Amino acid sequence: ETHGISCRIQISVKEVLDTDVVLKLLFHLPVNYPSTLPDISVNSDQLTRAQCMDVKEKLLEQAKQHLSEPMVHDLILWVQQHLKDVIKQSASVCSEKTTLSKGTGDGIWMLLLHLDHMRAKAKYVKTVEKWASDLRLTGRLMFVGKIILILLQGDRSSIKEYLILQKTSKVDVDSSGKKCKEKMMRVLCETEVQSQHKRFQTFEVKEYSALEELQKEFETAGLATLFSEFVPPLLK
């Protein structure tokens, strides 16, 4: 009633680059869909991240033409028919984008999330690790006392996709043991990575015995200001 619904659809598209391409599509339909466009995520082991983003952009363009009418089925048919063309276009503009991006920085973004609790901790942690891996995000899942933080770095669109997954997937269990969505997550900060910030090379799960250890992790990464602004208030 408040979050809308999500549907995952996996399709195989024939004869693209002489091989089958398996596309994993996630449609998040908001409460007032189809008057509002759905959020769309595209993943594929056979395509690059840039190609997946191009497919997503084209699907959103198509979605605008179907506004106010059910569109998921039409979008799937469209991508099955036009994937080959999208990939060809993606390859032709790739060199242009590379040249442009050299002068403008890599546009890496950072996200800091606070989770209230994890009842099914092992499963929850494994899910977060998988999402970070699938979306090529680096950073930390950090535990200190009762505080749980997720710090992510990566492509801005991947950060957005992560947020959709975090909000719409059943990642934990409630007090009766039933699977449930994360309803007590807070976005503490979402910003572009600056030159003074260290880039994380991997995604790691870390537990700290004291707040000072967590603070040192932030300071080593050039994120002392981020720590002082957002972490101490969580202790109150």
Side-chain angles (χ1 to χ4, degrees), residues 4-157:
I5 62 167
S6 294
C7 54
R8 300 172 192 276
I9 298 164
Q10 182 167 301
I11 58 170
S12 179
V13 184
K14 303 282 184 187
E15 297 175 4
V16 178
L17 308 177
D18 300 321
T19 184
D20 286 2
V21 172
V22 176
L23 283 182
K24 298 166 189 169
L25 305 171
L26 172 65
F27 294 92
H28 175 234
L29 312 180
V31 179
N32 45 1
Y33 168 86
S35 301
T36 303
L37 291 176
D39 283 317
I40 303 172
S41 298
V42 179
N43 282 294
S44 174
D45 294 336
Q46 288 90 9
L47 300 180
T48 66
R49 188 86 209 116
Q51 287 171 327
C52 286
M53 289 309 303
D54 285 337
V55 173
K56 174 184 169 178
E57 284 174 17
K58 294 293 183 187
L59 280 172
L60 286 170
E61 285 175 18
Q62 290 300 310
K64 288 173 186 172
Q65 297 176 25
H66 293 279
L67 201 57
S68 299
E69 60 187 61
M71 64 185 77
V72 173
H73 183 250
D74 289 320
L75 294 177
I76 291 166
L77 291 178
W78 185 89
V79 79
Q80 285 177 316
Q81 293 165 5
H82 296 91
L83 183 62
K84 196 170 185 176
D85 299 328
V86 175
I87 291 172
K88 276 183 183 173
Q89 283 182 349
S90 179
S92 66
V93 299
C94 185
S95 56
E96 289 178 36
K97 284 185 178 176
T98 305
T99 309
L100 287 170
S101 64
K102 281 179 184 171
T104 57
D106 54 9
I108 298 298
W109 280 68
M110 180 166 58
L111 178 72
L112 182 62
L113 301 175
H114 173 245
L115 302 181
D116 185 73
H117 62 270
M118 285 183 181
R119 283 197 176 92
K121 184 177 176 181
K123 176 181 173 292
Y124 204 133
V125 168
K126 197 172 281 188
T127 301
V128 170
E129 286 181 307
K130 183 178 186 312
W131 287 343
S133 172
D134 289 348
L135 294 168
R136 298 181 189 172
L137 296 170
T138 60
R140 299 282 185 269
L141 170 52
M142 302 172 282
F143 297 89
V144 57
K146 291 186 177 181
I147 295 176
I148 307 169
L149 298 171
I150 301 176
L151 180 65
L152 297 169
Q153 291 179 345
D155 185 85
R156 191 177 190 185
S157 58

